[in-house]
Amino acid sequence: MASHFKTFETERLLLKPTSKDDAEFILRLFNTPKWLKYIGDRNVNTVEEARLYIKMRMIPQMERLGFSNYTILRKSDEEKIGICGLYDRAGLDGLDIGFALLPEFEGNGYAFEAALKLKQVAFDEFDITKIQAITSQDNISSQKIIEKLGLKLIGLVKLPNDTEELFLYTI
């Protein structure tokens, strides 16, 4: 299935295309307090719903564009620690780079390391010319990572069917 899509590697991490095998992990991540607060409730409450979300929301973009959502694994123990991806999102002009980690893995530089690799791959391998990022105005930790990646705050944006004004960054 997603095996013919590339896995990317950094010094400490593997970025593997998310597959239905990651359903239990996605279920856990999507229901962490920070995910619910800053990204929103995706109504993924069972492993089966997580599997369906991956099948309907992540895999189609991977098949259409060659990139989508990646599960981040720590090389030292192959523990699934988070996700990072390039998302073709309605309401944005350009691809959205996003990331999220399980709480116990935050603060180790993993999100930046994964996102930096994906940014480099986007420009070098996928011929992407513009990357954007969106974040809640009160999500300071994400803003720091986005700015460290070299993206600049250019204003506010509301996504379709959403009321929250998000910070919009671009590079």
Side-chain angles (χ1 to χ4, degrees):
M1 201 268 332
S3 58
H4 60 285
F5 295 106
K6 245 176 120 172
T7 293
F8 301 103
E9 197 170 332
T10 69
E11 186 183 337
R12 300 181 295 166
L13 307 171
L14 292 173
L15 280 66
K16 180 183 73 61
T18 301
S19 74
K20 289 186 240 173
D21 297 342
D22 297 316
E24 285 181 24
F25 166 72
I26 292 293
L27 173 65
R28 238 182 99 205
L29 182 67
F30 278 23
N31 288 288
T32 59
K34 267 191 169 175
W35 182 283
L36 294 170
K37 179 178 179 185
Y38 293 129
I39 299 172
D41 190 348
R42 296 292 188 256
N43 295 308
V44 172
N45 301 303
T46 66
V47 172
E48 193 46 50
E49 288 173 349
R51 204 171 281 124
L52 192 63
Y53 188 94
I54 294 165
K55 179 184 171 189
M56 304 304 290
R57 302 286 303 274
M58 296 176 178
I59 292 171
Q61 183 189 309
M62 182 67 74
E63 291 174 343
R64 186 165 50 90
L65 299 177
F67 53 82
S68 178
N69 195 76
Y70 295 84
T71 299
I72 305 169
L73 291 93
R74 192 167 51 189
K75 280 190 198 170
S76 60
D77 56 6
E78 297 200 359
E79 178 88 31
K80 294 175 184 178
I81 65 170
I83 60 172
C84 187
L86 294 164
Y87 307 103
D88 183 12
R89 208 181 285 288
L92 291 184
D93 166 35
L95 292 161
D96 171 34
I97 191 165
F99 43 83
L101 296 179
L102 289 173
E104 61 265 35
F105 299 108
E106 291 173 1
N108 296 299
Y110 293 136
F112 176 73
E113 188 174 324
L116 185 65
K117 179 65 177 184
L118 219 45
K119 179 186 125 180
Q120 176 239 317
V121 166
F123 290 131
D124 297 348
E125 293 189 33
F126 297 133
D127 297 322
I128 293 166
T129 56
K130 179 180 185 180
I131 293 177
Q132 298 195 303
I134 49 175
T135 181
S136 296
Q137 296 183 42
D138 58 350
N139 190 347
I140 307 300
S141 57
S142 275
Q143 292 164 27
K144 286 181 178 165
I145 294 169
I146 291 165
E147 289 168 6
K148 194 172 169 187
L149 287 169
L151 282 80
K152 302 282 179 247
L153 180 62
I154 57 167
L156 295 168
V157 66
K158 271 190 205 171
L159 296 181
N161 308 317
D162 199 1
T163 54
E164 185 183 3
E165 286 202 318
L166 302 167
F167 280 148
L168 176 64
Y169 293 81
T170 193
I171 187 168

